Amino acid sequence: MKNYWTNLNESNNFESVPSNRDDDASAHDLNTLEIIADEKFSKSLSSRRDFLKFCGFGVSAALLASCESPVQYAIPLVLKPEEIIPGIANHYASTYFDGSQYCSILVKVRDGRPIKIEGNELSKITKGGTNAQVQAAVLNLYDSERLAYPTIKGEKSTWEEIHSQIIAHFKAAADKGDKIVIISSPIISPSVLKALTTFKEQYPTTEVIYYEPVSFSGTINANLNSFGKAVVPSYYFNKTNLIVSFSADFLGTWLSPVEFTKQYSEARALNKENPTMTRHIQLEAGFSLTGSNADKRIRVNPMEEGSLVLALYNKIAHKSGNPTLPELKTKVDISSIADELWENKGKSLVVAGSNDVDIQTLVNGINKFLDNYGNTIDLNTPYFTKKASEDDMERIVNEMNTGKVGVVLLNEVNPIYDYPYPKKIIAALKNVDFTGIIADRITETTLHVNYILPPDNFLESWGDFEPKKGSYSFSQPTISKLFDTYSFLDCLLKWTANEKTSYEYIKSNWEETLFPLQENYKDFDEFWAYTLQAGIFNLKVEKGKDDGKKTTQPPIPDINAALIKSARKITKKIYRGKIAIEMIPNIAIGDGTHANNPWLQELPDPVTKLTWDNVASVSIKYAQNNNIKTGQFITINDIKIPALVQPGQEDNTISIALGYGRKNVGKVGNNVGTNVYPFVQFVDGVKIYHTSTDKITISSEEYVLALNQTHDLMEGRSIIRETYIQQYHKNPASGNEEREEILKESTSLYPAAVFSGHHWGMSIDLNACTGCNSCVVACQAENNVAVVGKEQVINRRLMHWIRLDRYYAGDKENPEMVQMPIMCQQCNSAPCENVCPVAATMRSSEGINQMAYNRCIGTRYCMNNCPYKMRRFNWFQYAKNNEFDFNMNSDLGRMVLNPDVVVRSRGVVEKCSFCTQRIQEKKLTAKLEDRLLKDGEIQTACSQACSANAIVFGDLNDSESEVSKRFKNPRHYHLLEQLHTQPVVGYQTKVRNNNSEDTKKEIL
Amino acid sequence: MNSKKFILGIFKEEDLMIKAIKKIREKEIKIEEVFMPYPVHGIEDIAGLHKTRLMGAAVLFGIFGTALVFYFLYWVTVESYPLIYGGKPLYTLPSHVVITFVLMINITSGLSVISFFIANKFYPGKKADLIHPGVVDDTFVVAINKPEAEDEVQIIMNIFSTNGATEVTEKFVK
Amino acid sequence: MFYESPIRDPYIIGKKSYHQISNEILEPIDRKHNRWWYFILYLSIIAMSIGGYSLYKTFTVGIGSWGLNNSVSWGWDIINFVWWIGIGHAGTAFSIFLLVLRQKWRTSINRSAEAMTIFAVVCAGLYPMVHMGRIWLCFYIFPYPNTRGPLWLNFNSPLFWDVVAISTYVLASATFWYLGMLPDFALIKERVKSKVSKFIYGTLSLGWNASSRNWNRFEAISYILGGLAAALVISVHSIVSMDFATSVIPGWHTTIFPPFFVVGAIFSGFSMVLTLVIIMRKAYHLQDYITTSHIDAITRVLIFISLIMGTAYLTELFMSWYSGNGFEIFTFYKNRATGDYSIAFWLMILFNAILPQLFWSKRMRSNLTLVFIISLCVNVGMWLERFIIVVTSLSKDYLPSNWATYTPSYIEVGIFVGTLGFFVFGLCLFLRFLPVIAVAEVKSVNNRTTEIQEH
């Protein structure tokens, strides 16, 4: 059971607990979390917020002082707040929203410091899932590049000063009738929106427009044209039997990856209840994470995508007896897909990642004729996370040039980096007499803006969110402000002369708007406390609609008009060049907002395995024709970028990740990779993330890429065992036959080890794992794993305790890809243990392969003798070393370290410990509560972070535990089990849902 | 050799010396000591001199060493600080054989050398009392306790000189 | 026992009086040394300081200053360790096997061979120490009573077996070497003029009076130490080989390793002896003592051993194929014979198995320059063998995702240069101040052409 308050009965024993409790963590202190919960029910939250002040003061003091002597680090708990027991973590429900991606989270707070982000299982949307970016977000809080104070024209200033000046400017502009423009990243906070409306009332000339680097305006417009609703609808991948995705990377970066990963794994889970699995067909150019999970992947040139969608549309239209439209002939034969879709009418889903209005319109048509609306798509609970409209942006920029704009306020946007034509913006900004920006750091844009207003980090401020219609969630401060910052809401309140703090404002707003809409609670404070502790709130009325039953059928005529228009546009589309350039956000850096986060920079891309860089992926054939080698520089429209030969890449497409090449983001992210936003082009008012060119020159210049895996083939070794759904139905053990033989032959000199108490084990379902890498970052955050930097990654010294191995199989041009997360396998007869001369690593009584860091002398023999090579050596001193100037080198950055896990010094070997600190914590809790551990109570960082439920951790001695059930499953096997290392980490065979004609495959 | 008078037969050739020694032994005269620049094999048989028991001692040392190491390993791995390595039982004989063997050698050689020093009364800086400066270079010396009877002395001296001793002297050694 | 050849070349050429022998052999100790000696000495000192700097770097920066990575975490450190140990086997092999086999012709060579052993083993011993990530805790490696439990050691670890074996080996062979020199020290003391030298050599001689009791015990102890050290020679390199043989890594996990390593060690050792002896006898005009027949004898041994080496290589290849184990087959055929390091592999075959076969012809054997060159080649070849074993197996083992290549950093090279320097430095001093040939023993074989018949 997680340490946050799910059990509402706990409220009753609140009074019984004395308020002046002793400090030591005695038995009932362990239950403090309930107390915190109960704390909410008291009339005010002041005491907790006081604590945050105290500890914040201490921390800031610690930071400001140049700390020679450790005493300066001490946090003075003059009045010890009730819910804080030193050494015991609290979890606060909160919300992560970075302008593009939403996730409902829990923040683990130790001694006043948020140190880890975990998924909130109560959320109806993300269901406790997280991904790499969300996991890494906690480090953004401790980014030493954050602005500590507001500035005017580069001069340090005070908020009073800033506010007075800004208000003056607002007034002046309003009086002159000049426009006040707020260019903002998507705002999904009801309270902020409310504040904005009041702001507009005060300053009528205000216009708020939304800007996103990766835009969805195509989808929004398409839905407007088709159904008269300018929205991004909800998708339900879990209700599908067949998913057809046109280059939509919905498991990685598209719209709401965490949510979709949850749905996807649910839809593809293989078990007794659900012996079938959803089939997934991906049509794309670059090899995406989603494509790597597809059962069938068809390479499509972005330039052809339109006509392909059109062809599919016609097939479906024909089947459904609708008029077909004139189409172009396409290389790919789409008919089989059309048939499959038609078979799964109403249980299928077609999505397109393109921002092209026409493609989206046709996809709407397809889904409509497949009668997916109301089943797998729901227009009535749209997302609010995507709002940008390129038209507005362009219009505003022009208006700025005409000088009709008096004030421009940019809210957490960075157009001068990620707008295709930054020069236009720079020029426009010059014509505005007041330019302000809300930005947490010096960015490319802030350099051209006079007023810089640093905002709170989302872990420091109050906020409410409505990512989807009817689903609400909170963010609450988990630490007092580290710097002199101001949240956007607070600013708005100041500017509208509202005396309330953001907290009070949100609370009152909820009291007015949402409290009346629910029946559960009579008393608002009760309602408030409960929702706050749960972190989420869903409107009942909306719940009914979630299944999409009451969907109003969209009006037929106008969609047909739209379809015809789109079809004509697609057929007329002409491309200048032969080679398509495709810009795609990758799972680590995304649109580039978090480019200064070392954890994300060092996260190997699931497909290319590249860290600290973005590359131009070219297909094998293209590389051969132009003899390009990996690492060789190519120049595309005078942008120079290293190439990487990528199997499965479409032959005439070059795919490049967005978000790199930041010039001003911080010492970690500056000048990492190449910025390709300039390639983004506008086609009838929307950004199109692919272009075409012939201006490609190959230079002989070589460049070393920081790849974490250089060999892509399994060499015919049975490392990842897979089968096909038909075989699986015939024999669940198919693909796993050799296990039987190995077990028959395996024998030992010594009697098998027995574990009387617990015997911890882990099972990883290769069928569920999507390779999203969130486990890697979660592990890094939990276990204080060091960041080693580009140079050391090139030297193959990456420190991660979990590695995702990626192998290609099948056709060289368009291979199948398999992913396998590998951590220390905790072998029962571990080769590493036998060879350590100083007994630094040995077997625990619960079957864990222990590592005694302070005994290790670093002979590295264990590393050599580990067949999985999952041991890591501290080649250098990684903490407090200017050579490795990442988070562990600054007082601020080190605040993220988990106090339960030692920071390893130079010269010792480290490795996965099965999160032994978590095991101990839960064991202790159970002991003090005098009960047995429940299965699933203990979660390792990786199993907890896995949105796909691929990783399960538990007790192998408990025959009822999920993990022992999986060990009994015929799909279960161990990695390299023929070596008789007897690991306790098990794997489940991968099952591909392929038609028989796809099942021919040979080792590449 | 406690302090007494010696008759020294000094030779330059190994073979001559051996011949002389054989002659003297025929007369049942006890030879006290023979000094040589290099080891002449079997000389102690010919001259009937004391033979060392170092070899025997070494064997005992070896047995002692083996037993010691075996017990030590057992005590450490099972009694003093038991730990599980690689799923093996606490006491794993096969992996102890090597250490036992090598340490046995270590102990044996160590003890033998020590006893070698003790037997020879060797120690750094000991004043080497060479009976004749040549014995380390190119001279063989046969030392015989000078008997009281003059005629015996004569016999010995004759044997020496007739058998090619380059020089025959008397020496008082304390 | 060894056969008695009716007509055998004399161990020592020309009729020499014992005194003459003493003079000729100990002559270097008396006279001033020429500038060549000083040149080489300074050279070795420079090399040592390079090594010193590299070590300083390693200790201050960390093992990260080497070229190793998470897949290949042993490199030149262990390669050179094994190589030096191998060379260190020559001396003991020489004096002990030949002592036990009563091969009189060893007498002119064993002293310098043993000296070589000592310095080589010291060089070798350096590596396991400096390759530790935390060298300041290297004392953890010894089983001493401590306050940590007392936490002793993991006696299953071949690395600990190494520690025991190597330290024993150093002790034993050093003692053997020193005791062997006792009579010569006594002799030198008589010869040298200056008071200081008299005192030093006198102290070293521990009061040796050439009595038969002394000689008797002297021979006894040399047989005891000899016998034990003979067992050591076999065991030490077997144990070193177990570092690899007891692991699970393909190409390491091989039962042939112990004998294979021992033979290889003696191979490299003998060839190193050859290299040095050829230089020494020229530099110090010891042609009469280290005769062409000695060199001839060593080359014959080399032929024999190189045949064994060739067989071993073939056996490895065969077994890996015969085992039918995919990983083994990959390691030997795809990775060693044809992989990234195939050049090293084939050079190794050439140097170790093929080149020495030239010695079948008498003309080749008697051509000293050729012998010299081949002896160097064998040294290189043996180094390559260790490189192949250590690096190829690690660089491409079980999971292809781990596969990584390894190239040494200049720091590692520097340390190797340093050890070479130390080796040469040690030998220079040895040649200058110690009896390069066991005088007493040489005298015992003076003008003899056959074994003496007492036993």
Side-chain angles (χ1 to χ4, degrees), chain B residues 57-125:
Chain B
V59 176
L60 295 179
F61 294 148
I63 293 161
F64 165 72
T66 319
L68 184 70
V69 176
F70 250 113
Y71 176 69
F72 174 70
L73 293 183
Y74 172 80
W75 178 73
V76 165
T77 50
V78 179
E79 282 166 8
S80 172
Y81 205 119
L83 284 171
I84 310 175
Y85 303 105
K88 290 182 183 168
L90 290 175
Y91 186 69
T92 49
L93 188 62
S95 48
H96 291 176
V97 170
V98 175
I99 307 173
T100 319
F101 174 71
V102 178
L103 279 181
M104 179 271 285
I105 291 180
N106 204 342
I107 291 168
T108 315
S109 51
L111 292 179
S112 317
V113 169
I114 291 167
S115 38
F116 168 74
F117 283 173
I118 293 167
N120 281 336
K121 308 192 185 56
F122 279 170
Y123 54 84

Side-chain angles (χ1 to χ4, degrees), chain A residues 686-752:
Chain A
V686 296
K687 285 188 201 155
I688 298 298
Y689 292 90
H690 62 82
T691 175
S692 72
T693 180
D694 287 329
K695 297 205 323 222
I696 299 174
T697 54
I698 292 104
S699 84
S700 57
E701 205 179 333
E702 291 283 338
Y703 176 79
V704 189
L705 294 170
L707 291 162
N708 185 39
Q709 181 180 342
T710 51
H711 194 88
D712 301 336
L713 310 177
M714 238 187 296
E715 298 293 341
R717 303 173 176 184
S718 71
I719 293 163
I720 296 177
R721 301 181 188 171
E722 49 182 303
T723 182
Y724 292 93
I725 190 86
Q726 295 91 338
Q727 284 90 320
Y728 171 75
H729 284 143
K730 286 195 210 80
N731 165 21
S734 67
N736 196 17
E737 291 82 359
E738 76 198 87
R739 173 167 170 81
E740 206 178 324
E741 290 147 35
I742 292 168
L743 289 182
K744 224 185 291 142
E745 286 165 8
S746 82
T747 172
S748 170
L749 262 183
Y750 303 110

Side-chain angles (χ1 to χ4, degrees), chain A residues 326-576:
Chain A
E327 64 174 81
L328 306 166
K329 70 188 308 300
T330 56
K331 286 209 206 78
V332 185
D333 173 29
I334 206 86
S335 50
S336 67
I337 297 177
D339 301 339
E340 283 189 50
L341 278 170
W342 191 249
E343 285 160 25
N344 296 299
K345 193 161 173 298
K347 298 203 115 326
S348 62
L349 178 54
V350 180
V351 290
S354 167
N355 197 37
D356 183 327
V357 185
D358 308 318
I359 291 179
Q360 292 293 351
T361 315
L362 287 169
V363 167
N364 288 348
I366 294 170
N367 279 319
K368 183 172 169 307
F369 297 150
L370 287 171
D371 174 18
N372 292 335
Y373 282 97
N375 295 322
T376 56
I377 311 178
D378 182 3
L379 277 162
N380 295 5
T381 52
Y383 283 95
F384 296 140
T385 56
K386 303 293 172 188
K387 300 191 170 191
S389 150
E390 286 84 331
D391 299 339
D392 296 348
M393 188 67 181
E394 238 169 337
R395 199 186 72 250
I396 288 298
V397 170
N398 298 335
E399 283 182 12
M400 282 155 75
N401 289 326
T402 61
K404 284 211 297 309
V405 178
V407 176
V408 168
L409 186 70
L410 301 144
N411 176 27
E412 313 222 27
V413 291
N414 188 13
I416 292 176
Y417 163 69
D418 52 28
Y419 193 72
Y421 313 112
K423 293 207 171 49
K424 275 171 97 178
I425 308 258
I426 295 170
L429 284 172
K430 288 205 173 61
N431 304 327
V432 183
D433 46 14
F434 176 90
T435 52
I437 183 167
I438 295 174
D440 67 341
R441 64 187 63 242
I442 298 297
T443 68
E444 293 79 351
T445 308
T446 55
L447 300 176
H448 302 274
V449 177
N450 298 338
Y451 291 69
I452 305 178
L453 294 68
D456 301 336
N457 182 285
F458 75 101
L459 293 169
E460 296 170 324
S461 59
W462 287 98
D464 56 353
F465 303 84
E466 188 184 10
K468 253 189 193 180
K469 194 169 172 197
S471 336
Y472 298 86
S473 67
F474 281 108
S475 77
Q476 45 183 325
T478 52
I479 185 171
S480 149
K481 298 182 180 186
L482 293 172
F483 302 115
D484 184 11
T485 53
Y486 237 79
S487 76
F488 184 48
L489 180 52
D490 282 311
C491 290
L492 284 174
L493 294 174
K494 267 264 177 305
W495 300 337
T496 52
N498 188 331
E499 290 314 305
K500 285 205 180 89
T501 66
S502 54
Y503 168 69
E504 292 154 356
Y505 186 80
I506 292 169
K507 194 172 179 183
S508 59
N509 180 24
W510 278 60
E511 190 155 18
E512 293 156 22
T513 55
L514 293 174
F515 179 56
L517 296 179
Q518 55 81 42
E519 309 86 31
N520 295 4
Y521 308 106
K522 298 287 151 285
D523 170 24
F524 172 70
D525 284 323
E526 202 184 347
F527 162 74
W528 176 254
Y530 278 122
T531 15
L532 195 58
Q533 81 182 45
I536 57 115
F537 170 65
N538 299 306
L539 279 183
K540 283 254 173 328
V541 280
E542 296 298 333
K543 278 235 194 65
K545 272 191 182 169
D546 274 4
D547 52 23
K549 286 282 172 298
K550 296 203 287 306
T551 314
T552 55
Q553 281 305 324
I556 310 302
D558 63 345
I559 186 172
N560 282 345
L563 287 167
I564 293 160
K565 185 154 148 290
S566 300
R568 196 181 302 114
K569 288 229 307 281
I570 283 180
T571 46
K572 291 218 169 41
K573 218 161 246 161
I574 35 162
Y575 289 95
R576 262 172 263 83

